[in-house]
Amino acid sequence: MRLLVLNGPNLNRLGLREPTVYGSQTLQDLEAQLQEFADKHSCELTCFQSNHEGELIDKLHDAEGHYDGIVINPGAFTHYSYAIRDAIASISVPVMEVHISNIHKREEFRHTSVTAPVTAGQIVGLGFYGYELALLALLNQNKGE
Ligand code: CA2
């Protein structure tokens, strides 16, 4: 099993500001935690973060044939990027959407996800644990096939 975790804009700032919303751990902490999780579940994990829409789209396209599942936190692109939505829809690899915070409890503009309708599922508000649950869902989904 090869899984890919994609983090979008500003997630490289985790732990540096707004600890009440996003916690005090960094992106490096998140990626280390997920690598440990992947090792425990004997799967191969690649993590990638970008602040650029096109780079995330390229990673989604390139995942076809190379990964069995993708976890994506598209950051603020979630709320308006039809280009990322179309990229997710254009691949056959299952994609799970994750948000560290509960986007439904926050400002109105965060309540909408234009990407969620083309994903296998969405997990919000569980902090870093949400990424582990999303990976687990992908592992289980592939087991049943
Ligand atoms: O809750 C999430 O995971 C979000 O995807 C995080 C995005 C936000 O735009 C989404 O609405 C919800 C923001 C990424 C992190 O932004 C930071 C801002 C300040 C300090 C640290 C990170």
Side-chain angles (χ1 to χ4, degrees):
M1 281 291 290
R2 294 155 305 172
L3 299 175
L4 175 66
V5 171
L6 294 177
N7 277 301
N10 297 308
L11 286 151
N12 57 320
R13 306 297 296 164
L14 283 176
L16 304 177
R17 299 287 298 272
E18 299 196 45
T20 51
V21 183
Y22 300 114
S24 54
Q25 288 183 293
T26 65
L27 178 66
Q28 288 66 39
D29 293 332
L30 170 64
E31 291 181 348
Q33 179 183 321
L34 298 182
Q35 282 297 348
E36 203 178 302
F37 181 86
D39 289 348
K40 246 186 241 164
H41 289 83
S42 308
C43 69
E44 218 177 278
L45 181 73
T46 304
C47 294
F48 178 78
Q49 186 274 332
S50 176
N51 295 318
H52 306 279
E53 192 177 25
E55 280 188 0
L56 293 166
I57 291 168
D58 287 343
K59 286 288 176 194
L60 287 163
H61 293 170
D62 294 346
E64 192 88 277
H66 293 105
Y67 292 95
D68 304 298
I70 301 171
V71 173
I72 188 167
N73 181 345
F77 286 142
T78 304
H79 315 302
Y80 66 91
S81 175
Y82 299 122
I84 289 183
R85 176 196 168 116
D86 286 348
I88 295 171
S90 80
I91 58 173
S92 58
V93 186
V95 176
M96 286 289 295
E97 179 172 319
V98 168
H99 298 284
I100 295 167
S101 65
N102 183 347
I103 53 175
H104 304 292
K105 266 204 216 166
R106 301 183 63 197
E107 302 95 321
E108 190 83 34
F109 76 90
R110 295 188 204 274
H111 298 180
T112 301
S113 169
V114 301
T115 46
V118 292
T119 64
Q122 187 198 50
I123 297 172
V124 307
L126 302 181
F128 288 4
Y129 183 48
Y131 290 81
E132 290 192 5
L133 291 178
L135 288 172
L136 206 55
L138 291 168
L139 287 170
N140 285 329
Q141 180 169 291
N142 280 282
K143 240 185 239 169
E145 277 168 10

